[in-house]
Coordinates of all heavy atoms in Angstrom, one line a residue:
E19 N 0.8 -1.3 0.0 CA 0.0 0.0 -0.1 C 0.8 1.3 0.0 O 0.7 2.2 -0.8 CB -0.8 0.0 1.2 CG -1.8 1.2 1.3 CD -2.6 1.2 2.6 OE1 -2.5 0.3 3.5 OE2 -3.4 2.2 2.8
K20 N 1.9 1.3 0.8 CA 2.8 2.4 1.0 C 3.5 2.6 -0.4 O 3.8 3.7 -0.9 CB 3.8 2.3 2.0 CG 4.6 3.3 2.3 CD 5.5 3.2 3.6 CE 6.2 4.4 3.9 NZ 7.1 4.1 5.2
L21 N 3.9 1.4 -1.1 CA 4.5 1.4 -2.4 C 3.6 2.1 -3.5 O 4.0 2.9 -4.2 CB 5.1 0.1 -2.7 CG 5.7 0.0 -4.1 CD1 7.2 0.7 -4.0 CD2 6.0 -1.5 -4.4
L22 N 2.3 1.7 -3.5 CA 1.3 2.1 -4.4 C 1.2 3.7 -4.2 O 1.1 4.4 -5.2 CB 0.0 1.5 -4.1 CG -1.0 1.9 -5.1 CD1 -0.7 1.7 -6.7 CD2 -2.4 1.0 -4.9
L23 N 1.1 4.1 -3.0 CA 1.0 5.6 -2.7 C 2.2 6.4 -3.2 O 2.2 7.4 -3.7 CB 0.8 5.8 -1.2 CG -0.5 5.4 -0.7 CD1 -0.5 5.5 0.9 CD2 -1.6 6.2 -1.2
S24 N 3.3 5.7 -3.1 CA 4.6 6.3 -3.7 C 4.6 6.4 -5.1 O 5.0 7.4 -5.8 CB 5.9 5.5 -3.2 OG 7.0 6.0 -3.7
A25 N 4.1 5.3 -5.8 CA 4.0 5.3 -7.2 C 3.0 6.4 -7.7 O 3.2 7.2 -8.8 CB 3.5 4.0 -7.8
I26 N 1.8 6.6 -7.0 CA 1.0 7.7 -7.3 C 1.7 9.1 -7.2 O 1.4 9.9 -8.0 CB -0.3 7.6 -6.4 CG1 -1.0 6.3 -6.8 CG2 -1.2 8.8 -6.6 CD1 -2.2 5.9 -5.7
A27 N 2.4 9.2 -6.1 CA 3.2 10.6 -5.9 C 4.0 10.8 -7.0 O 4.3 11.9 -7.5 CB 3.8 10.6 -4.5
N28 N 4.9 9.7 -7.5 CA 5.7 9.8 -8.6 C 5.0 10.2 -9.9 O 5.6 11.1 -10.6 CB 6.5 8.5 -8.8 CG 7.4 8.1 -7.7 OD1 7.7 9.1 -6.8 ND2 7.9 6.9 -7.6
W29 N 3.9 9.7 -10.1 CA 3.1 10.1 -11.3 C 2.7 11.6 -11.2 O 2.7 12.2 -12.2 CB 1.8 9.1 -11.4 CG 1.0 9.4 -12.6 CD1 1.3 8.8 -13.8 CD2 0.1 10.3 -12.8 NE1 0.4 9.3 -14.7 CE2 -0.4 10.2 -14.1 CE3 -0.6 11.3 -11.9 CZ2 -1.4 11.1 -14.6 CZ3 -1.7 12.0 -12.4 CH2 -2.1 11.9 -13.8
G30 N 2.3 12.0 -10.0 CA 1.9 13.3 -9.8 C 3.2 14.3 -10.1 O 3.0 15.3 -10.6
Q31 N 4.3 13.9 -9.7 CA 5.5 14.7 -10.0 C 5.9 14.8 -11.4 O 6.2 15.8 -12.0 CB 6.7 14.2 -9.2 CG 6.7 14.4 -7.9 CD 6.9 15.7 -7.4 OE1 7.6 16.5 -8.0 NE2 6.1 16.3 -6.5
K32 N 5.6 13.6 -12.1 CA 5.9 13.7 -13.6 C 4.8 14.5 -14.5 O 5.1 15.1 -15.5 CB 5.9 12.3 -14.2 CG 7.2 11.5 -13.9 CD 7.0 10.1 -14.7 CE 8.4 9.5 -14.7 NZ 8.4 8.2 -15.4
N33 N 3.7 14.5 -13.9 CA 2.5 15.1 -14.6 C 2.0 16.2 -13.8 O 0.9 16.2 -13.2 CB 1.4 14.1 -15.0 CG 1.9 12.9 -15.7 OD1 2.4 13.0 -16.8 ND2 1.8 11.7 -15.1
E34 N 2.8 17.3 -13.8 CA 2.3 18.5 -13.0 C 1.0 19.1 -13.6 O 1.0 19.2 -14.7 CB 3.5 19.4 -12.8 CG 4.5 19.0 -12.1 CD 5.4 20.0 -11.5 OE1 5.0 21.2 -11.3 OE2 6.7 19.7 -11.2
G35 N 0.2 19.5 -12.8 CA -1.1 20.1 -13.3 C -2.3 19.1 -13.5 O -3.4 19.4 -13.6
A36 N -1.9 17.8 -13.7 CA -2.9 16.8 -13.9 C -3.4 16.3 -12.5 O -2.6 16.2 -11.5 CB -2.2 15.7 -14.7
R37 N -4.6 15.9 -12.5 CA -5.2 15.5 -11.3 C -5.4 13.9 -11.3 O -5.7 13.4 -12.2 CB -6.7 16.0 -11.0 CG -6.6 17.6 -10.9 CD -7.8 18.2 -10.4 NE -8.4 17.4 -9.2 CZ -9.6 17.5 -8.9 NH1 -10.4 18.2 -9.4 NH2 -10.0 16.9 -7.7
V38 N -5.0 13.4 -10.1 CA -5.0 11.8 -10.0 C -6.5 11.3 -10.3 O -6.6 10.4 -10.9 CB -4.5 11.5 -8.7 CG1 -4.6 10.0 -8.5 CG2 -3.0 11.9 -8.6
E39 N -7.5 12.1 -9.7 CA -8.7 11.5 -9.9 C -9.3 11.6 -11.3 O -10.1 10.6 -11.7 CB -9.8 12.4 -9.0 CG -9.5 12.4 -7.6 CD -8.4 13.3 -7.0 OE1 -8.0 14.3 -7.9 OE2 -7.8 13.2 -6.0
E40 N -8.8 12.5 -12.1 CA -9.3 12.6 -13.5 C -8.5 11.7 -14.5 O -9.0 11.5 -15.6 CB -9.2 14.0 -14.0 CG -10.2 15.0 -13.3 CD -9.9 16.4 -13.5 OE1 -9.0 16.7 -14.3 OE2 -10.8 17.3 -12.9
A41 N -7.3 11.3 -14.0 CA -6.4 10.6 -14.8 C -6.8 9.1 -15.1 O -6.3 8.4 -15.9 CB -5.0 10.7 -14.3
E42 N -7.6 8.6 -14.2 CA -8.1 7.1 -14.3 C -6.8 6.3 -14.1 O -6.5 5.4 -15.0 CB -8.9 6.8 -15.4 CG -10.2 7.5 -15.5 CD -10.9 7.1 -16.8 OE1 -10.7 6.0 -17.3 OE2 -11.8 7.9 -17.1
L43 N -6.1 6.4 -13.1 CA -4.8 5.6 -12.9 C -5.2 4.2 -12.6 O -6.2 3.9 -12.0 CB -4.0 6.2 -11.7 CG -3.2 7.4 -11.9 CD1 -2.5 7.9 -10.7 CD2 -2.4 7.5 -13.1
F44 N -4.3 3.4 -13.1 CA -4.5 1.9 -12.8 C -3.1 1.2 -12.7 O -2.0 1.9 -13.1 CB -5.2 1.2 -13.9 CG -4.6 1.0 -15.3 CD1 -4.0 -0.3 -15.6 CD2 -4.4 2.0 -16.1 CE1 -3.2 -0.3 -16.8 CE2 -3.7 2.0 -17.3 CZ -3.2 0.7 -17.6
V45 N -3.0 0.1 -12.0 CA -1.8 -0.6 -11.9 C -1.4 -1.2 -13.0 O -2.1 -2.4 -13.4 CB -1.9 -1.6 -10.5 CG1 -0.5 -2.3 -10.4 CG2 -2.3 -0.8 -9.4
K46 N -0.5 -0.8 -13.8 CA 0.0 -1.4 -15.1 C 0.6 -2.7 -14.9 O 0.2 -3.8 -15.6 CB 0.6 -0.4 -15.9 CG 1.0 -0.8 -17.3 CD 1.8 0.3 -18.1 CE 2.2 -0.2 -19.4 NZ 2.9 1.0 -20.2
T47 N 1.7 -2.6 -14.1 CA 2.5 -3.8 -14.0 C 3.0 -3.8 -12.6 O 3.3 -2.8 -12.0 CB 3.8 -3.6 -14.9 OG1 3.4 -3.4 -16.1 CG2 4.6 -5.0 -14.8
V48 N 3.0 -5.0 -12.0 CA 3.6 -5.2 -10.6 C 4.2 -6.6 -10.7 O 3.6 -7.5 -11.1 CB 2.6 -4.9 -9.5 CG1 1.4 -5.9 -9.6 CG2 3.2 -5.0 -8.2
F49 N 5.5 -6.6 -10.2 CA 6.1 -8.0 -10.1 C 7.1 -8.0 -8.9 O 7.4 -7.1 -8.3 CB 6.8 -8.4 -11.4 CG 7.8 -7.3 -11.8 CD1 9.1 -7.5 -11.5 CD2 7.4 -6.4 -12.7 CE1 10.1 -6.5 -11.8 CE2 8.5 -5.5 -13.1 CZ 9.8 -5.5 -12.7
V50 N 7.3 -9.3 -8.5 CA 8.0 -9.5 -7.3 C 9.3 -10.4 -7.6 O 9.0 -11.4 -8.3 CB 7.3 -10.2 -6.1 CG1 8.2 -10.5 -4.9 CG2 6.1 -9.4 -5.8
D51 N 10.5 -9.9 -7.3 CA 11.7 -10.8 -7.5 C 12.2 -11.1 -6.2 O 12.1 -10.4 -5.2 CB 12.7 -10.0 -8.3 CG 12.2 -9.7 -9.7 OD1 11.6 -10.5 -10.3 OD2 12.7 -8.6 -10.2
S52 N 12.9 -12.3 -6.2 CA 13.5 -12.6 -4.8 C 14.8 -11.8 -4.5 O 15.6 -11.5 -5.6 CB 13.9 -14.2 -4.8 OG 14.7 -14.4 -5.8
G53 N 15.1 -11.5 -3.3 CA 16.2 -10.7 -3.0 C 17.2 -11.5 -2.3 O 17.3 -12.8 -2.5
A54 N 18.0 -11.0 -1.5 CA 19.1 -11.6 -0.7 C 18.4 -12.6 0.3 O 17.4 -12.3 0.9 CB 20.0 -10.6 0.1
M55 N 19.1 -13.6 0.6 CA 18.6 -14.6 1.6 C 19.6 -14.7 2.8 O 20.8 -14.9 2.5 CB 18.6 -15.9 0.9 CG 17.8 -17.0 1.6 SD 17.6 -18.6 0.8 CE 17.3 -18.1 -0.9
L56 N 19.2 -14.5 3.9 CA 19.9 -14.6 5.2 C 20.0 -16.1 5.6 O 18.8 -16.7 5.6 CB 19.3 -13.8 6.3 CG 19.5 -12.3 6.1 CD1 18.7 -11.6 7.3 CD2 20.9 -11.8 5.9
K57 N 21.1 -16.8 5.7 CA 21.0 -18.2 6.1 C 21.5 -18.3 7.5 O 22.4 -17.8 8.0 CB 22.1 -18.9 5.2 CG 21.6 -18.9 3.7 CD 22.6 -19.5 2.8 CE 21.9 -19.5 1.4 NZ 23.0 -19.9 0.4
R58 N 20.6 -19.1 8.4 CA 20.8 -19.2 9.7 C 20.8 -20.7 9.9 O 20.3 -21.5 9.2 CB 19.7 -18.5 10.5 CG 19.7 -17.1 10.3 CD 20.8 -16.3 10.9 NE 20.8 -14.9 10.8 CZ 21.5 -14.2 9.9 NH1 22.3 -14.9 9.0 NH2 21.5 -12.9 9.8
V59 N 21.3 -21.0 11.2 CA 21.3 -22.4 11.6 C 20.5 -22.7 12.9 O 20.6 -21.9 13.8 CB 22.8 -23.0 11.7 CG1 22.8 -24.3 12.4 CG2 23.5 -22.8 10.6
L60 N 19.7 -23.7 12.8 CA 18.9 -24.0 14.0 C 19.3 -25.4 14.6 O 19.4 -26.3 13.8 CB 17.3 -24.1 13.6 CG 16.3 -24.4 14.6 CD1 16.3 -23.2 15.6 CD2 15.0 -24.7 14.1
P61 N 19.7 -25.4 15.8 CA 20.2 -26.8 16.3 C 19.0 -27.8 16.3 O 17.9 -27.4 16.6 CB 20.5 -26.3 17.8 CG 20.7 -25.0 17.9 CD 19.8 -24.4 16.8
A62 N 19.4 -29.0 16.0 CA 18.6 -30.1 15.9 C 19.1 -31.2 16.7 O 20.1 -31.2 17.3 CB 18.4 -30.5 14.4
P63 N 18.1 -32.3 16.9 CA 18.5 -33.3 17.7 C 19.7 -34.1 17.3 O 20.0 -34.2 16.1 CB 17.3 -34.2 17.8 CG 16.1 -33.4 17.3 CD 16.8 -32.4 16.5
Q64 N 20.4 -34.8 18.2 CA 21.6 -35.7 18.0 C 22.7 -35.0 17.2 O 23.3 -35.5 16.4 CB 21.2 -36.8 17.1 CG 20.2 -37.7 17.8 CD 19.6 -39.0 17.1 OE1 20.1 -39.2 15.9 NE2 18.8 -39.8 17.6

């Protein structure tokens, strides 16, 4: 949600004078990539 609000604000900066309500904004593309992985060790029996 915070990321979407940031994207709306970025659109507002690019299109000065245009209103968000009148522009009919939609989520064009959104994707998730894997990032860094922290590897930890959990003690186990034996």
